[in-house]
Amino acid sequence: MMRKVFLILAAVLLLSDFMWAAADVYYTSMDSTFNVDLEDSSRDGVGANGNYSKGEYTDRDIIGIVGVTGRDNNVLGANTYTFTFNLLDYDGRPYTGSGDLAWMYRSVSDPTYMIPFGIEFSIRFTEKDDGTNRTSNIVRLGLRDTSYPDQKDNPEGLESSRIAKVSVSKTGNTTTVTVTTPATWNAFWFDVVLVVPTNKRAEYVNNGTIQVAAKDDYQAAFDLNVVGTDGASGSYSVFMTGYYGVPQPSGQGSVMFTVNQTANATNIDLDQLNENESVSIGKYFYTTKAYRNASYTRPGQNQDRPFKMFVSSSPDPLSNNNSTFYLIHSMAQEGNTSDALRIPFSIQLVSSDTANVGSQTFYGNDNQNSGKYLNGYYIFETTRQGENLNSMTWTDEGSINFVMGKVDKNNLVSGYYQANIYIHLYLNI
């Protein structure tokens, strides 16, 4: 039985499943998704009344905006929308632990280091023929320093007929928020606001509940599913990255890129693979933050897509080491190129967006100037009814497949074979 070990190198993080079945539901990534300073004590949530316009919080504090809109000033009517929020592990798997440790950023390089966080939803709305944004309800999840109630309805003191009926239920690491809209609303959204409770962190460090270290690779994740009685739906997975005790990492403020390995990445039974047969060894995801401007229009099908990805045998995107991919026997001496000690292979990137992105196969000898890449796509949305803003997000996600090359297995030496592959994402503008 022969196996191989892969080391997959990627950039920062985030995984996002953008599956929206109707134009009525959208998700927009905002600043607090990307590369947050986790020492910053000013990230204290939405405040007492969730007042966005008067500075209790700003766009800087928002992880994202998930919303439902009637579009074109159409009212939503008295419908009910269920938002199901699930905590994920730092690498995107369902979190199976319990208690406050579920609400932690964790270091990718050493998950024993943790930093607490919380999330607050400020539920805001507009009404037909009135673009004024108002706050209807507040829902607070996770860890906080403040004593604000977990749920607050009607913080602005509006007539009861103009605010939503909101209920919140929690089971394990899943929270369900149900919103029934008044007949006057034509749009509403959750400003999803990050909380970094520095006093809670100090308390947990002092009592030995957690350890904190200077790291630039902290991350956390959740998914959010939306279902409406009017048929509106959406499903989104969100990764958040941050740093603590170190200078702000460069080049990571507006783009997230992650590779999540499967068990196959470190243990493939090569005896069971035939030539050109493939097996998934991981998934990739990248996204930019949403860029918002009233002048944005939906790109044409053939418009240049600036984010490109390729796989090579070199950590330097401008060099290919003049080397194709080979699995090398773990006991082989350097420079030994015997066919008995090396197995050719290729790597295939397969986008989930088969229609617009497709797939591409790499043999290790490509670089940024080779002209071979997988070209990502975009999400175009209209956000926050009343703001008259459109948003653009460049994104792609998909599978990383190992493809067996041509080899005479009878000539191979039993044991472990291994190789390094490097996945590069670059911006071509």
Side-chain angles (χ1 to χ4, degrees):
M1 181 177 295
M2 294 164 285
R3 300 188 177 97
K4 74 108 182 78
V5 176
F6 268 111
L7 171 64
I8 297 180
L9 298 187
V12 229
L13 178 81
L14 176 79
L15 192 162
S16 190
D17 271 348
F18 289 99
M19 293 170 37
W20 52 302
D24 292 331
V25 179
Y26 64 88
Y27 181 86
T28 302
S29 296
M30 300 288 281
D31 291 0
S32 280
T33 298
F34 302 88
N35 207 30
V36 171
D37 181 359
L38 296 174
E39 283 190 286
D40 186 352
S41 61
S42 68
R43 295 184 183 274
D44 55 1
V46 303
N49 296 307
N51 196 319
Y52 174 81
S53 62
K54 294 185 180 179
E56 283 192 304
Y57 68 100
T58 67
D59 281 355
R60 165 207 182 257
D61 303 301
I62 299 176
I63 297 167
I65 302 167
V66 58
V68 179
T69 174
R71 306 290 190 203
D72 302 320
N73 206 31
N74 293 319
V75 295
L76 294 172
N79 283 294
T80 297
Y81 301 88
T82 301
F83 296 76
T84 304
F85 174 93
N86 297 292
L87 281 173
L88 305 177
D89 203 347
Y90 66 95
D91 61 358
R93 298 172 298 186
Y95 185 77
T96 57
S98 61
D100 289 353
L101 291 184
W103 291 92
M104 296 286 166
Y105 281 85
R106 287 174 170 81
S107 166
V108 176
S109 58
D110 188 344
T112 62
Y113 295 119
M114 308 178 217
I115 294 179
F117 76 98
I119 288 175
E120 299 187 353
F121 299 141
S122 177
I123 304 176
R124 302 172 60 215
F125 69 96
T126 58
E127 296 169 294
K128 184 175 175 61
D129 299 320
D130 183 358
T132 303
N133 300 323
R134 297 181 174 87
T135 301
S136 175
N137 311 75
I138 298 171
V139 176
R140 308 180 200 270
L141 308 178
L143 303 174
R144 311 190 302 273
D145 288 333
T146 65
S147 58
Y148 297 141
D150 289 344
Q151 183 177 344
K152 184 173 185 178
D153 300 328
N154 200 13
E156 296 189 24
L158 302 171
E159 300 92 331
S160 59
S161 61
R162 297 174 65 193
I163 66 166
K165 296 179 180 178
V166 174
S167 63
V168 180
S169 62
K170 301 177 183 179
T171 303
N173 297 319
T174 298
T175 301
T176 301
V177 182
T178 301
V179 178
T180 301
T181 56
T184 58
W185 285 15
N186 69 340
F188 76 97
W189 59 93
F190 290 12
D191 283 349
V192 184
V193 177
L194 176 66
V195 179
V196 180
T198 53
N199 291 341
K200 182 70 69 175
R201 180 180 68 227
E203 173 190 333
Y204 282 0
V205 169
N206 289 337
N207 65 23
T209 301
I210 64 172
Q211 299 179 79
V212 173
K215 295 280 187 177
D216 65 359
D217 64 349
Y218 284 99
Q219 56 194 40
F222 64 87
D223 67 32
L224 184 60
N225 297 284
V226 187
V227 177
T229 53
D230 60 355
S233 66
S235 180
Y236 313 96
S237 295
V238 180
F239 276 70
M240 307 178 294
T241 62
Y243 61 97
Y244 176 87
V246 297
Q248 180 177 1
S250 61
Q252 300 178 8
S254 300
V255 182
M256 289 187 181
F257 177 35
T258 187
V259 170
N260 291 329
Q261 300 180 174
T262 67
N264 288 331
T266 55
N267 190 359
I268 297 177
D269 185 354
L270 298 173
D271 284 328
Q272 302 304 311
L273 287 183
N274 297 317
E275 182 182 348
N276 295 325
E277 192 173 354
S278 67
V279 60
S280 175
I281 58 172
K283 293 183 178 297
Y284 70 86
F285 173 85
Y286 68 84
T287 186
T288 68
K289 73 176 183 180
Y291 293 93
R292 300 186 301 153
N293 193 294
S295 66
Y296 288 167
T297 58
R298 185 182 300 275
Q301 181 72 20
N302 297 320
Q303 179 169 324
D304 183 45
R305 292 171 266 160
F307 284 90
K308 305 177 190 303
M309 187 166 53
F310 70 97
V311 189
S312 79
S313 59
S314 171
D316 182 354
L318 298 177
S319 171
N320 58 16
N321 284 341
N322 294 315
S323 176
T324 54
F325 286 135
Y326 285 97
L327 293 171
I328 305 298
H329 196 283
S330 60
M331 300 301 291
Q333 295 183 351
E334 185 175 357
N336 188 336
T337 60
S338 168
D339 287 344
L341 299 175
R342 64 179 190 168
I343 301 172
F345 69 94
S346 59
I347 295 295
Q348 185 181 46
L349 300 181
V350 183
S351 173
S352 299
D353 189 344
T354 55
N356 296 304
V357 181
S359 64
Q360 186 65 266
T361 300
F362 301 91
Y363 296 90
N365 55 354
D366 291 297
N367 62 36
Q368 191 169 317
N369 297 318
S370 298
K372 183 190 286 188
Y373 47 76
L374 196 65
N375 216 3
Y377 209 57
Y378 65 85
I379 295 173
F380 177 83
E381 299 170 320
T382 301
T383 65
R384 278 182 178 162
Q385 187 85 17
E387 280 191 339
N388 297 318
L389 293 179
N390 294 326
S391 76
M392 254 329 235
T393 305
W394 300 99
T395 185
D396 188 28
E397 63 179 310
S399 177
I400 305 162
N401 296 337
F402 169 87
V403 183
M404 187 75 165
K406 184 176 182 179
V407 62
D408 185 349
K409 294 182 181 179
N410 293 322
N411 292 335
L412 295 176
V413 177
S414 62
Y416 291 90
Y417 288 74
Q418 60 190 22
N420 294 340
I421 69 172
Y422 300 89
I423 301 177
H424 305 277
L425 177 68
Y426 68 99
L427 178 65
N428 184 24
I429 55 176

